[in-house]
Amino acid sequence: MSVSNIQVQLARQPEGNPKATDFQVVKTAMPKAGPGQFLARNIYLSLDPYMRGAIAGRHMGHQRLNPGDVIYGRCLAEVMESQHADYKAGDYVVLESGWQQFYVSDGAAADEVRKIDAGLGVPLSAHLGALGMPGLTAWAGVEKLANPGLGSTFVVSAAAGPVGGTAGQIAKAKGARAVGIAGSDEKCRIVVNEYGFDACVNYKNKNWTEELKAACPNGVDTYFDNVGGPMLDAVTQQLNLYGKIVLCGLVSQYNRGADSAFNGHNLGPFVGKRAQLLGLVVYDYYARMNEFLKAVVPLVNAKRLKFHEDRADSIEKAPEHFVRLMSGQNTGKALVVIGPEKA
Ligand SMILES: NC(=O)c1ccc[n+]([C@@H]2O[C@H](COP(=O)([O-])OP(=O)(O)OC[C@H]3O[C@@H](n4cnc5c(N)ncnc54)[C@H](OP(=O)(O)O)[C@@H]3O)[C@@H](O)[C@H]2O)c1
């Protein structure tokens, strides 16, 4: 086993779009587990858009990071050694262990440790994507907030990603018509051919709103919004009366650089459509993780819920992979492979 620990720390606060040079890769001493603690060996690191705001102290409950701080991050890990009553060597867990190879946890609430059942017949990495926080977000928004009806039209943005892709597939499993919006033809191909959506529109095409209209001949009943900004206004124009909008993410605004000129929404069209705006925060649903897994694991096993991953192959590549995510170049769940599944 490695005798040192590689961490990714903040080098400087990013301005606007993050750059790889905003981060530094540092070798530190291998941590040791003491009484009441366990040593986790991180295998997969999840990269998520909220991290951009978390680093800057703009995301719920996350303190602004300073240079030298390890970057926030959730990992799937193997317990290597344990002096904690609830965890034993060989257990797989998901926990908030940051961008690094090893982490010592005392199992406190802040570490959000969750034991993983490795016998579900699904890839371990899925516990950071379709069966993890992004999937729970999608399930909560579809099942608990929007509850789209049979034959209704369900539109979702960032549709190739883990939240959007899972949301559309769950809506489809409930009998809705799923239409994606994504940022490239390749992403749309995945959304339709792999995820099984009924249609997908590339919003980088000049006439994308006309294409959306053609893909939604009966109008939009539910819009699951992962993007915010002008796209929300454009889709609201096509919302049916009393339609629902799940306000899930604002990824078009997270980088907030000099080029983010968006100044807010005109609320008139939301009133005109009598729209129901449904704010979603996944933390409200963590206690329902088992209910979510019970509903969604069978869909994965029956190949009715598919996912795509965008992997980097070492911890050293985490900074550039995050830059890739925050500029929309990822296709599917952004993950960093830190080590092998078995030590
Ligand atoms: N409310 C909650 O509790 C909660 C929980 C988890 C996630 N979320 C939100 O859900 C959304 C999707 O998350 P995810 O993990 O599934 O991410 P994701 O889809 O893997 O990645 C983000 C995607 O957003 C799009 N994007 C990135 N930068 C953009 C920009 N500047 N302008 C417009 N689009 C941009 C890109 O897709 P395109 O190429 O298709 O544009 C990119 O691939 C995010 O907004 C995230 O913050 C919310």
Side-chain angles (χ1 to χ4, degrees):
M1 194 203 296
S2 151
V3 289
S4 59
N5 178 32
I6 296 177
Q7 298 185 329
V8 181
Q9 305 174 347
L10 190 70
R12 65 188 68 82
Q13 271 293 334
E15 281 180 27
N17 291 353
K19 297 182 282 301
T21 50
D22 297 329
F23 303 87
Q24 58 197 21
V25 177
V26 174
K27 208 177 251 192
T28 61
M30 177 80 175
K32 279 195 169 54
Q37 297 181 321
F38 66 88
L39 173 68
R41 180 184 66 86
N42 290 329
I43 298 169
Y44 298 110
L45 162 68
S46 172
L47 296 182
D48 298 88
Y50 79 87
M51 290 170 167
R52 176 65 186 85
I55 291 168
R58 294 195 300 253
H59 186 79
M60 301 174 163
H62 289 76
Q63 297 294 325
R64 181 180 167 89
L65 294 183
N66 292 308
D69 288 340
V70 177
I71 309 299
Y72 296 118
R74 194 174 292 109
C75 291
L76 182 127
E78 182 186 12
V79 175
M80 299 302 290
E81 301 163 12
S82 179
Q83 298 185 48
H84 191 296
D86 298 339
Y87 305 98
K88 61 177 192 317
D91 282 349
Y92 287 105
V93 291
V94 166
L95 80 175
E96 245 334 293
S97 48
W99 295 19
Q100 57 185 326
Q101 289 177 305
F102 297 97
Y103 182 70
V104 165
S105 173
D106 55 10
D111 286 352
E112 294 180 13
V113 189
R114 182 166 63 85
K115 245 193 241 186
I116 294 303
D117 179 353
L120 293 174
V122 298
L124 279 179
S125 57
H127 292 284
L128 294 175
L131 298 178
M133 183 278 285
L136 178 66
T137 306
W139 173 81
V142 177
E143 282 290 353
K144 303 298 172 192
L145 294 182
N147 194 19
L150 206 63
S152 67
T153 299
F154 179 95
V155 172
V156 58
S157 47
V163 174
T166 308
Q169 291 179 79
I170 293 175
K172 186 124 179 93
K174 287 172 70 69
R177 200 163 168 277
V179 176
I181 303 175
S184 72
D185 290 345
E186 171 59 9
K187 288 186 186 188
C188 280
R189 187 197 65 73
I190 289 166
V191 167
V192 173
N193 294 353
E194 294 185 23
Y195 299 167
F197 281 41
D198 296 282
C200 182
V201 169
N202 176 354
Y203 69 89
K204 302 224 167 123
N205 291 344
K206 200 163 144 257
N207 296 327
W208 76 269
T209 54
E210 290 307 313
E211 292 174 25
L212 184 65
K213 212 171 268 174
C216 304
N218 300 322
V220 177
D221 298 300
T222 304
Y223 175 46
F224 192 114
D225 180 25
N226 284 319
V227 167
M231 190 183 288
L232 171 56
D233 293 327
V235 180
T236 299
Q237 296 291 337
Q238 300 188 29
L239 195 72
N240 289 329
L241 287 187
Y242 305 102
K244 296 176 183 174
I245 301 176
V246 178
L247 297 173
C248 176
L250 304 164
V251 69
S252 69
Q253 295 168 245
Y254 292 164
N255 289 327
R256 284 199 199 164
D259 53 346
S260 308
F262 185 68
N263 285 322
H265 300 277
N266 170 11
L267 293 178
F270 297 92
V271 177
K273 299 288 186 177
R274 289 77 158 170
Q276 295 181 54
L277 304 183
L278 304 162
L280 168 60
V281 174
V282 67
Y283 304 137
D284 297 348
Y285 297 90
Y286 270 23
R288 303 176 84 157
M289 188 55 109
N290 286 341
E291 183 188 347
F292 154 68
L293 290 174
K294 217 168 151 187
V296 172
V297 168
L299 291 180
V300 176
N301 284 335
K303 304 207 180 320
R304 292 178 67 202
L305 201 168
K306 306 222 178 107
F307 42 86
H308 207 86
E309 292 179 343
D310 196 73
R311 292 181 170 212
D313 61 11
S314 71
I315 184 72
E316 289 86 350
K317 291 187 182 158
E320 63 198 57
H321 210 54
F322 185 60
V323 171
R324 187 177 151 83
L325 170 70
M326 294 313 298
S327 55
Q329 294 170 58
N330 66 307
T331 301
K333 172 68 205 146
L335 285 179
V336 178
V337 182
I338 297 182
E341 292 194 355
K342 272 276 164 221

